[in-house]
Amino acid sequence: MHAITIPEPGGPEALVWAEVPDPVPGDGEVLVEVVSSAVNRADVLQRQGFYNPPPGASPYPGLECAGRIAALGPGVTGWAVGDEVCALLSGGGYAEKVAVPVGQLLPVPDGVDLTTAAALPEVTATVWSNVFMVAHLRPGETLLVHGGSSGIGTMAIQLAKAVGARVAVTAGSPQKLAECAALGADILIDYREQDFVAELEKATDGAGADVILDIVGAKYLDRNVKALAVNGRLAIIGLQGGVKGELNLGALLTKRAAVTATSLRGRPLGEKASIMAAVREHVWPLIADGVVRPVVDRTVPMEDAAEAHRVLESSAHIGKVLLVAPGA
């Protein structure tokens, strides 16, 4: 088969479409013939040499895919060759085939075509696990989403609105904010022109956000704590703004607030399977009913993954950028 390899870390040109050995599904795994994958920030970090796959994972980038089951490994039940699926991966999505633990596999939801389904596993798992399983967003509460027009952001807006929450977003242009509003965002903040703490305070009559989903990290840490409501929960899932920040514990104590930080890729198989089971139970029906939908900016041939990385790094996209395998 062919896959996107990274012979040496570097810029987008470091991604090389090359012939590699076919993966073989192990115990409890299936082999998926990939139709599409999606580009995530973690893939960019891996390409740059900063985020290696966990031990035992495929060395190729790609944290999600959609395709058809080509073979079943030992011990797999409940699935059949030819089933159309999408999957959460620890790596290997930028390839024509990938071996997937069965607990990370989901059927393509009703109303979504197979290619587009690759836009779903990573964002739904990330948003559901952090916003609902960890931060416990409830109806009537306010969620602040940083990077509202990103793949994560566009899914977080929709899921929060579906459960009856109020949603505030930050984004970097009027066009991106308009797209967030079209998905249901209530409070629109241009982070290039406005202070999100002050804007959120005005919009909530001083209450702040009950939950904040943050992809920035250190750069926003102090302001995020200021923006939290009493009993607020800050969920950090990205470090685009650095890894070290100063945390005012006094402010945290006063607000009886909590800060959590999680990643998805390196979690044990059992935890990932539990998250995917929750996504199937809670999110898939919303997609099937048309309440929630994947947001895809564009599709790019998988061989041209370098171009897809350039788009992602430019932040010119809204939602997800997909890679389509040859012949799909």
Side-chain angles (χ1 to χ4, degrees):
M1 72 167 189
H2 284 78
I4 291 289
T5 63
I6 309 172
E8 295 290 339
E13 68 282 353
L15 300 173
V16 178
W17 185 246
E19 191 168 355
V20 298
D22 283 14
V24 177
D27 289 348
E29 293 184 335
V30 303
L31 183 67
V32 173
E33 188 175 68
V34 175
V35 167
S36 57
S37 184
V39 181
N40 290 281
R41 293 283 174 183
D43 304 334
V44 173
L45 292 174
Q46 181 175 339
R47 187 203 77 215
Q48 295 170 336
F50 299 132
Y51 193 23
N52 292 328
S58 169
Y60 316 123
L63 299 183
E64 55 194 331
C65 74
R68 299 177 182 87
I69 294 178
L72 305 178
V76 173
T77 60
W79 298 95
V81 171
D83 284 351
E84 294 190 345
V85 297
C86 56
L88 182 71
L89 310 172
S90 296
Y94 291 20
E96 292 178 313
K97 298 176 183 177
V98 64
V100 185
V102 71
Q104 292 163 221
L105 206 64
L106 290 179
V108 174
D110 292 342
V112 178
D113 67 82
L114 185 56
T115 298
T116 304
L120 290 169
E122 179 74 12
V123 294
T124 54
T126 298
V127 173
W128 192 262
S129 63
N130 284 280
V131 175
F132 299 97
M133 297 174 74
V134 174
H136 302 291
L137 181 71
R138 294 182 287 269
E141 290 191 323
T142 298
L143 169 69
L144 170 61
V145 181
H146 290 302
S149 63
S150 67
I152 293 290
T154 54
M155 182 56 62
I157 293 167
Q158 296 179 82
L159 288 178
K161 293 299 293 184
V163 302
R166 188 183 188 194
V167 180
V169 297
T170 62
S173 72
Q175 178 194 1
K176 289 185 175 183
L177 289 172
E179 294 288 344
C180 293
L183 292 170
D186 305 285
I187 303 166
L188 309 174
I189 304 168
D190 186 334
Y191 71 81
R192 299 183 191 276
E193 304 291 338
Q194 298 170 299
D195 174 13
F196 72 81
V197 179
E199 294 300 320
L200 190 65
E201 183 176 359
K202 286 191 293 185
T204 61
D205 295 325
D210 299 287
V211 176
I212 299 177
L213 185 63
D214 178 47
I215 60 172
V216 178
K219 183 179 177 181
Y220 275 10
L221 181 59
D222 181 63
R223 285 192 285 163
N224 276 332
V225 172
K226 290 178 181 177
L228 280 175
V230 173
N231 295 315
R233 292 85 73 195
L234 167 61
I236 300 171
I237 60 169
L239 302 170
Q240 294 180 30
V243 300
K244 293 183 179 181
E246 186 170 300
L247 179 62
N248 185 335
L249 294 177
L252 208 62
L253 283 168
T254 299
K255 293 187 174 185
R256 302 185 298 277
V259 178
T260 61
T262 70
S263 64
L264 191 58
R265 187 180 198 182
R267 290 193 185 206
L269 293 181
E271 289 187 20
K272 290 183 180 179
S274 294
I275 291 169
M276 296 304 278
V279 166
R280 184 172 185 174
E281 178 183 357
H282 297 287
V283 181
W284 256 222
L286 295 173
I287 296 172
D289 290 343
V291 176
V292 172
R293 63 179 177 85
V295 177
V296 175
D297 187 278
R298 69 191 72 188
T299 60
V300 177
M302 190 173 285
E303 312 95 295
D304 297 332
E307 177 58 26
H309 275 225
R310 291 186 187 99
V311 171
L312 197 76
E313 289 182 282
S314 74
S315 293
H317 64 295
I318 294 171
K320 301 284 284 189
V321 178
L322 301 184
L323 300 174
V324 180

